[in-house]
Amino acid sequence: MASKGDLTKARLAESMLELIQTSGYSGTGLNAVIDHASAPKGSIYFHFPEGKEGLGVAAVELAAQRFETLIAEAAVAAGTPAEAARSAIEALTTIVSESDFRLGCPVSVVTLEMGAESERLRQACATAFESWISPTAAFLEASGIAAEEARSLATVVVSAIEGAVIVSRALRSTQPLAAAADVVAGLIDQRCQAAGGTR
């Protein structure tokens, strides 16, 4: 059973994650996180001695875990890699649309805002993207695509999805995500067929 301190730490990371998505990293102050998490005032520096940067890293890691789980669930439920990609994009589309286009990928937000300012945050974002690219590449490789090509294709897939989320939020439309789903699924099918793997 988690201790009270562990629960407070998790709540702070969760609040930071939510606020980054709606207000950006730079626009999220520590007082706002404390209020959002209903946490004691001294709790941030107790659990995150590095302050906002450490809390930002925790939020990025939390986002990475959640999307990694989404990818894993899509892979298990889908019959083919193309179906898995569609399923993952549909799940993201639901998140974006149901939030009235206020929520997207906090990892891309932190990368764009802080990638050149904080090496620690840049590395956390790089690790997050890698945690999505690697299992996607492994799934593609298991479908018959050569390792190097699977890695390249997985990188394109993750990049396309990230870009589609950003454009969808800007246009307040799910059409970019729907288009990405069609193109990504088609590309995966094409590569699997060329490799003689699963359609």
Side-chain angles (χ1 to χ4, degrees):
M1 185 175 174
S3 68
K4 184 177 178 181
D6 288 339
L7 291 172
T8 299
K9 185 175 183 179
R11 206 161 67 246
L12 288 166
E14 174 71 45
S15 290
M16 184 66 172
L17 175 59
E18 289 186 29
L19 291 171
I20 285 173
Q21 292 183 90
T22 56
S23 305
Y25 179 86
S26 299
T28 298
L30 293 184
N31 286 336
V33 176
I34 289 168
D35 289 344
H36 189 276
S38 299
K41 277 204 175 287
S43 59
I44 284 186
Y45 287 101
F46 178 79
H47 294 292
F48 301 97
E50 312 90 339
K52 185 176 178 179
E53 186 181 54
L55 189 54
V57 168
V60 167
E61 289 172 346
L62 180 58
Q65 291 164 12
R66 288 186 175 169
F67 192 53
E68 191 176 358
T69 299
L70 188 153
I71 293 170
E73 289 174 349
V76 169
T80 69
E83 289 171 3
R86 277 193 183 279
S87 177
I89 294 172
E90 285 169 5
L92 283 173
T93 301
T94 299
I95 291 169
V96 172
S97 62
E98 288 187 352
S99 71
D100 194 29
F101 300 94
R102 294 178 73 233
L103 300 183
C105 178
V107 179
S108 62
V109 171
V110 174
T111 301
L112 292 169
E113 285 191 39
M114 301 302 298
E117 305 295 326
S118 166
E119 177 59 20
R120 189 170 176 213
L121 285 169
R122 185 205 63 78
Q123 186 56 57
C125 292
T127 300
F129 287 127
E130 182 58 38
S131 76
W132 306 337
I133 292 169
S134 290
T136 303
F139 189 36
L140 293 168
E141 192 175 348
S143 299
I145 298 176
E148 188 174 340
E149 185 179 0
R151 168 75 189 189
S152 178
L153 182 54
T155 303
V156 168
V157 168
V158 171
S159 300
I161 293 170
E162 284 293 306
V165 169
I166 292 170
V167 178
S168 286
R169 291 184 69 190
L171 297 181
R172 293 183 62 80
S173 167
T174 58
Q175 193 277 330
L177 279 161
D182 288 340
V183 172
V184 165
L187 181 59
I188 291 173
D189 263 343
Q190 184 184 60
R191 296 297 178 87
C192 285
Q193 289 176 53
T198 307
R199 260 196 72 134

